[in-house]
Amino acid sequence: MTNNQTTILAIESSCDDTGVAVVRKRGEQVTVLAQLVSSQTDIHAKTGGVIPEIAAREHVQAIGPMIASVMNSAGVQHGQLDSIAVTVGPGLMPSLAIGVQTARSLAYAWNKPIVPVHHIEGHVYSALLENGSSKSYKLQVTSSSFPALALIVSGGHTMFIKVTDHLSYSVLGETRDDAVGEVFDKVARMLGLSYPGGPKVSVLAEQGNPSAFAFPRPMSHSHDLNMSYSGLKTAVLYQIRDLGVPLTEKNIADISASFEQAIIDSLITKLRFALESDNYRTLLFAGGVAGNQRLRDAIEQETVVKGVEFAVAPQELCGDNAVMIGQVGVFAFEAGRKKSWKEVEAIARVSIENFSL
Ligand code: KG4
Ligand code: ZN
């Protein structure tokens, strides 16, 4: 910490988005000095999904110029940085390795410690921010917001986490098979939409009837916080086969709306169970699928009924980005999470609980 403030360069490269940000914390005030995200969506749309080696090659191309540009826009010299925060896992190994090796090289060259960050921890922390004025963010969560329940719904993960305090996590339940974002993408593909299809399905759903098809609400009565979405995916596939291709526009809209409703209902059932099982003050909602407006509204409504504060990530921070990694970075650095470049490595599979202080 320099002059009572912490300044962090943050790097995210766990999947197909390269993110770089400079984040500063002074007291309870967190400022994003500059940030960039470089998306590889167009490249992976051609192959219908992310090919790890191609993703890694794109990260290599993007990362150096992005770091130079973000440092420049932030007006920060490397001497003013306290640390470099980087996503070490979970994710695609070739992708993670680019961010981690970059952070290690810079940490060595600039003689800085590294703050290793768990990718899901990043998503959790993105919900701590709300939009302020002119692209800056305000902290909407204070120490009195804990214990909090975090619901993270993304392309790789769907999970409930108890956040007892800053940097203190226990996983309460998660999907046993596909993540919700992944199922959105697969249903989109069945409907002939390009990757990533989640947002396209939600746009089509606006025109459809959510009760047109009775898709299953998986594991609604399991009395736990585990989930399963592969059965729902198969039910959509069989429905499409029954209707016969090519589908009419009305069929496509109705399938989209009915599928989205099944996802919403199943997540709300689990959320209700979670909120009734413990005394939470706040719900933190984030991850790529938290960009879905109908889901945001349904979840907010449930928190209103239960009298729990609702903290959702700003729309533009729902997808992968480095602001969320820097956000964890400033809190974790101040709490003493500092590693030498030699100690940090990429880990494809790792639990968020390993990152609890
Ligand atoms: O968090 P994220 O950017 O990457 C991972 O860490 O997985 O999440 C990306 C996922 C994709 O599966 C994408 O289709 C889904 O989030 N997604 C959506 C929406 N926006 C993004 N799914 C449904 N509705 C949306 N509006
Ligand atoms: Zn993510």
Side-chain angles (χ1 to χ4, degrees), residues 76-194:
V76 167
Q77 308 288 320
H78 63 74
Q80 296 167 275
L81 292 175
D82 292 289
S83 178
I84 299 163
V86 63
T87 306
V88 294
L92 302 172
M93 198 56 174
S95 291
L96 287 166
I98 306 306
V100 170
Q101 293 310 336
T102 304
R104 283 167 54 118
S105 302
L106 292 175
Y108 179 82
W110 296 345
N111 193 23
K112 303 288 175 191
I114 293 182
V115 180
V117 176
H118 188 278
H119 181 74
I120 299 302
E121 201 183 13
H123 280 301
V124 170
Y125 268 74
S126 67
L128 270 53
L129 298 172
E130 66 177 342
N131 278 327
S133 54
S134 74
K135 274 202 213 159
S136 69
Y137 300 96
K138 286 197 304 195
L139 268 184
Q140 58 180 337
V141 164
T142 63
S143 35
S144 64
S145 306
F146 299 104
L149 173 70
L151 170 56
I152 306 302
V153 190
S154 75
H157 301 268
T158 302
M159 59 203 308
F160 285 95
I161 301 160
K162 179 170 181 175
V163 187
T164 316
D165 203 341
H166 274 295
L167 309 165
S168 175
Y169 319 102
S170 44
V171 175
L172 303 173
E174 60 192 311
T175 179
R176 292 183 172 164
D177 40 53
D178 294 3
V180 166
E182 192 180 350
V183 181
F184 261 98
D185 293 338
K186 286 178 178 165
V187 166
R189 203 169 169 175
M190 295 175 204
L191 296 174
L193 306 165
S194 62

Side-chain angles (χ1 to χ4, degrees), residues 207-210 212-213 215 249-259:
Q207 314 300 326
N209 172 5
F213 301 105
F215 293 132
E249 273 183 26
K250 182 173 183 325
N251 284 159
I252 292 179
D254 285 347
I255 288 174
S256 298
S258 302
F259 160 73

Side-chain angles (χ1 to χ4, degrees), residues 3 14 32 50 58 66 68 119 154 197 207 213 234 236 314 328 338:
N3 303 330
S14 63
V32 179
V50 180
E58 295 301 316
M66 285 174 72
H119 181 74
S154 75
Q207 314 300 326
F213 301 105
T234 311
V236 175
V328 177
K338 300 171 201 177

Side-chain angles (χ1 to χ4, degrees), residues 120-132 136-141 149-153 282-293 295-297 299-300 309-321 323-324 327:
I120 299 302
E121 201 183 13
H123 280 301
V124 170
Y125 268 74
S126 67
L128 270 53
L129 298 172
E130 66 177 342
N131 278 327
S136 69
Y137 300 96
K138 286 197 304 195
L139 268 184
Q140 58 180 337
V141 164
L149 173 70
L151 170 56
I152 306 302
V153 190
T282 313
L283 177 75
L284 307 170
F285 180 43
V289 186
N292 183 303
Q293 194 58 48
L295 183 57
R296 282 167 96 93
D297 293 347
I299 288 182
E300 178 167 21
E309 282 297 318
F310 178 60
V312 63
Q315 279 278 357
E316 71 279 11
L317 296 183
C318 283
D320 291 344
N321 64 83
V323 170
M324 65 187 197
Q327 176 74 4

